[in-house]
Amino acid sequence: MTGSDNDDVKKQFREALEKKKQKNQPTGDHKDGQSKVHGVHSSADHKRDFRRKSI
């Protein structure tokens, strides 16, 4: 690889990294602070039974 080819590859990687960083930025969803899920920590009206499967 020559120096210019190496610079081109580095430039492409930097551009890809910038796109990735922009994609992972938090968006404006749920600006009101309200979640779509309510009451996730409420107690169940029955107790779950976990049984080991017999062989």
Side-chain angles (χ1 to χ4, degrees):
M1 278 188 143
T2 62
S4 63
D5 289 341
N6 196 14
D7 291 339
D8 290 339
V9 171
K10 285 183 180 182
K11 182 180 176 186
Q12 289 176 343
F13 274 107
R14 281 192 208 110
E15 289 172 356
L17 184 60
E18 287 299 319
K19 285 182 185 179
K20 184 178 178 182
K21 285 181 180 178
Q22 289 175 358
K23 189 172 104 174
N24 290 335
Q25 291 293 326
T27 60
D29 295 342
H30 301 291
K31 286 185 178 181
D32 59 353
Q34 297 293 322
S35 174
K36 290 183 179 181
V37 181
H38 299 287
V40 293
H41 294 292
S42 62
S43 61
D45 53 345
H46 65 281
K47 187 172 182 175
R48 295 180 81 176
D49 292 329
F50 295 99
R51 295 183 182 177
R52 186 177 304 268
K53 185 177 180 180
S54 63
I55 298 176

